[in-house]
Amino acid sequence: IHSKMLADAILIVAISICTALLSEGLSYVLLYRTEDYKRLKGVVEKQSKRLERKREVVGEGLARPSGQKKKLEKQEEQLKNYNRDLTMVRMKSMVVIGFTFTALLGMFNSIFDGRVVAKLPFVPFSLLQGISHRNLMGSDFTDCSFIFLYILCTMAIRENIQKFFGFGVSRTASKLGSNLVGPSK
């Protein structure tokens, strides 16, 4: 039975790699090669670096001159707007990819329905047990279902594929973008 689980787990990893490559291929066709995306990504990268340099010069202390503080806030607002525009450009491809993968997930889920594909070395906390033990018989919560392993593999693999092909957002832009949730006061 362990060799069957190993074969299923390897097959799921292969499926994850293929679907991640398909996803990035669709993203390339629908998103990454468009002029809007290239322009906005370049602007966000440039604005992020400029904002980071400005923060280093001005410093995070309370003794900032108000003119510099206003300029910094204006640049942060511009970066937020560019990030919002970039998100809107990404939306079209994300919808297409979402529909495609919903169909693929349904097909793969029916193939592996009710089969234990791996044994977890831990018992997941209750919030994850519904996913990790989905459609499996028995009460051994270390049994792993297809959907849980597929989601974990796809998250890890897709991120690495994006980095490999250079499609991901730079660390500077993502770090600054996540810090721009609200105005800093």
Side-chain angles (χ1 to χ4, degrees):
I1 193 160
H2 290 291
S3 63
K4 181 72 173 150
M5 269 196 282
L6 180 62
D8 284 345
I10 291 171
L11 180 60
I12 291 169
V13 171
I15 289 169
S16 295
I17 292 170
C18 290
T19 56
L21 287 171
L22 176 66
S23 169
E24 288 309 306
L26 283 172
S27 292
Y28 178 76
V29 169
L30 296 173
L31 176 67
Y32 298 138
R33 69 181 184 155
T34 63
E35 290 304 315
D36 279 347
Y37 176 79
K38 289 177 184 176
R39 180 183 56 79
L40 284 170
K41 184 178 180 193
V43 168
V44 166
E45 297 285 334
K46 189 186 310 180
Q47 188 74 13
S48 296
K49 288 177 184 173
R50 186 181 305 150
L51 186 59
E52 188 172 299
R53 280 194 305 263
K54 187 79 156 180
R55 282 185 179 163
E56 288 173 0
V57 169
V58 172
E60 289 294 330
L62 296 173
R64 279 188 245 181
S66 76
Q68 286 183 338
K69 185 176 180 181
K70 291 215 185 277
K71 283 182 183 178
L72 190 62
E73 287 174 357
K74 184 179 176 186
Q75 284 185 339
E76 287 174 348
E77 189 63 35
Q78 284 177 334
L79 183 58
K80 274 195 267 188
N81 290 335
Y82 288 133
N83 273 323
R84 184 193 66 230
D85 294 345
L86 189 59
T87 300
M88 294 308 292
V89 168
R90 287 180 173 170
M91 194 64 65
K92 179 180 75 169
S93 74
M94 297 317 266
V95 168
V96 171
I97 290 169
F99 282 127
T100 303
F101 285 99
T102 300
L104 285 173
L105 190 61
M107 181 184 73
F108 293 132
N109 208 16
S110 67
I111 292 170
F112 291 99
D113 192 36
R115 285 177 32 193
V116 176
V117 297
K119 274 290 214 194
L120 299 174
F122 58 91
V123 176
F125 53 93
S126 61
L127 184 65
L128 289 179
Q129 284 178 359
I131 297 171
S132 68
H133 202 72
R134 183 182 180 113
N135 295 336
L136 296 180
M137 303 298 285
S139 59
D140 183 3
F141 290 109
T142 60
D143 289 345
C144 181
S145 67
F146 159 77
I147 192 74
F148 187 68
L149 186 58
Y150 175 77
I151 289 171
L152 288 177
C153 289
T154 301
M155 286 182 352
I157 292 168
R158 186 160 186 231
E159 185 75 25
N160 287 314
I161 287 174
Q162 286 176 342
K163 286 180 185 176
F164 179 76
F165 288 119
F167 295 148
V169 179
S170 74
R171 291 182 186 180
T172 303
S174 62
K175 182 176 72 170
L176 289 175
S178 65
N179 289 339
L180 298 176
V181 176
S184 56
K185 291 186 177 182

